[in-house]
Amino acid sequence: MQELERSTSVSHVEYSREYEKNAGYFIIKRVIDIIGALCGILIISPVMILVGIWIKLDSKGPVFFAQNRVGQDGKGFKMYKFRSMCMDAEGLLDKLKHENEMSGPMFKMKEDPRITKIGKFIRKTSIDELPQLFNILKGEMSLVGPRPSLPKEVAQFTSFQKQRLIAKPGLTCYWQVRGRNDISFAEWMEMDIEYIEERNTFVDIILIFKTVGVLFGDEGAR
């Protein structure tokens, strides 16, 4: 995947470069990522096995879904998820675009007919995101950081929004704990820039604990 141009504008990039020089924070962050991902995989492996069986029984297709996403500095990678949609989901998207409930380049629909029965459950509880723990182990993602976007979405970002590519994408972020789909696209992007400005070990740990607290029964998770 062709790398996307990094924004070189305004002060947000300047402060981000200062954080880039903080080697101690990034070393601690990587250690937390590795330990957290390994512990998470070990603890929830029975759940992942059961979900995999349920997906196979619920609909035809693979258990996992790999999708091209844009990571740090615009570098592409394959992001893993449990499959929560029918096999021809991408082909059906064009017919549903007029139903989009999210502003900006992203598509979100409350009653998306492409989502399977188990897909509704694993999305509501964010279980569909658990395979990204393997992305974290590979160093493509972090436990905390802006959610990775699709290439077609990033292509429509403004220069301000492209600043979120400075950080390694994450499993959770401010958006995840502040309402998720109840937040507009513009507000979401601003939250990601806010995180990059404020990020430190304490902020990351607080976000991890808050995320655990809102995973199940989060009405904003659609």
Side-chain angles (χ1 to χ4, degrees), residues 79-134:
M79 188 187 79
Y80 309 125
K81 300 182 73 171
F82 279 120
R83 182 176 60 84
S84 61
M85 290 189 172
C86 59
M87 286 301 295
D88 58 343
E90 289 297 320
L92 295 172
L93 180 59
D94 286 339
K95 299 178 181 179
L96 298 171
K97 284 184 176 179
H98 66 285
E99 301 283 353
N100 191 9
E101 299 171 2
M102 172 71 78
S103 57
M106 298 192 67
F107 179 85
K108 293 289 182 181
M109 183 178 174
K110 184 176 181 180
E111 299 296 333
D112 193 329
R114 301 173 300 162
I115 301 176
T116 62
K117 292 179 181 178
I118 183 176
K120 292 179 181 179
F121 171 74
I122 63 177
R123 282 186 167 217
K124 182 177 181 180
T125 56
S126 295
I127 289 175
D128 63 323
E129 311 285 0
L130 294 180
Q132 288 157 44
L133 292 172
F134 294 101

Side-chain angles (χ1 to χ4, degrees), residues 172-183:
T172 190
C173 56
Y174 284 154
W175 171 74
Q176 292 274 17
V177 301
R178 292 181 180 176
R180 297 179 66 168
N181 286 358
D182 297 325
I183 296 170

Side-chain angles (χ1 to χ4, degrees), residues 4 67-70 90 106 148-155 157:
L4 296 165
Q67 189 176 49
N68 290 326
R69 295 288 177 128
V70 179
E90 289 297 320
M106 298 192 67
S149 297
L150 293 166
K152 62 182 180 182
E153 295 168 350
V154 176
F157 281 1

Side-chain angles (χ1 to χ4, degrees), residues 129 132-133 136 141-145 147 169-173 176:
E129 311 285 0
Q132 288 157 44
L133 292 172
I136 293 171
M141 292 179 60
S142 175
L143 287 174
V144 183
R147 291 295 295 153
L171 191 61
T172 190
C173 56
Q176 292 274 17

Side-chain angles (χ1 to χ4, degrees), residues 2 7 30 38 49 51 79 89 96 98-99 104 106 109 128 138 144 147 154 177 184 189 196 202 206 216:
Q2 184 177 3
S7 170
R30 183 58 184 152
L38 285 174
I49 292 171
V51 169
M79 188 187 79
L96 298 171
H98 66 285
E99 301 283 353
M106 298 192 67
M109 183 178 174
D128 63 323
K138 292 171 66 177
V144 183
R147 291 295 295 153
V154 176
V177 301
S184 70
M189 297 297 102
I196 294 173
F202 178 74
I206 292 298
F216 297 96

Side-chain angles (χ1 to χ4, degrees), residues 166-222:
I166 292 169
K168 186 179 292 186
L171 191 61
T172 190
C173 56
Y174 284 154
W175 171 74
Q176 292 274 17
V177 301
R178 292 181 180 176
R180 297 179 66 168
N181 286 358
D182 297 325
I183 296 170
S184 70
F185 177 77
E187 290 173 323
W188 178 1
M189 297 297 102
E190 289 173 1
M191 286 181 185
D192 286 341
I193 303 299
E194 178 187 350
Y195 165 73
I196 294 173
E197 181 176 19
E198 298 176 347
R199 60 181 173 171
N200 57 54
T201 302
F202 178 74
V203 168
D204 287 352
I205 292 174
I206 292 298
L207 273 171
I208 290 169
F209 279 104
K210 283 187 175 181
T211 300
V212 172
V214 301
L215 275 181
F216 297 96
D218 181 9
E219 296 181 357
R222 294 200 291 262

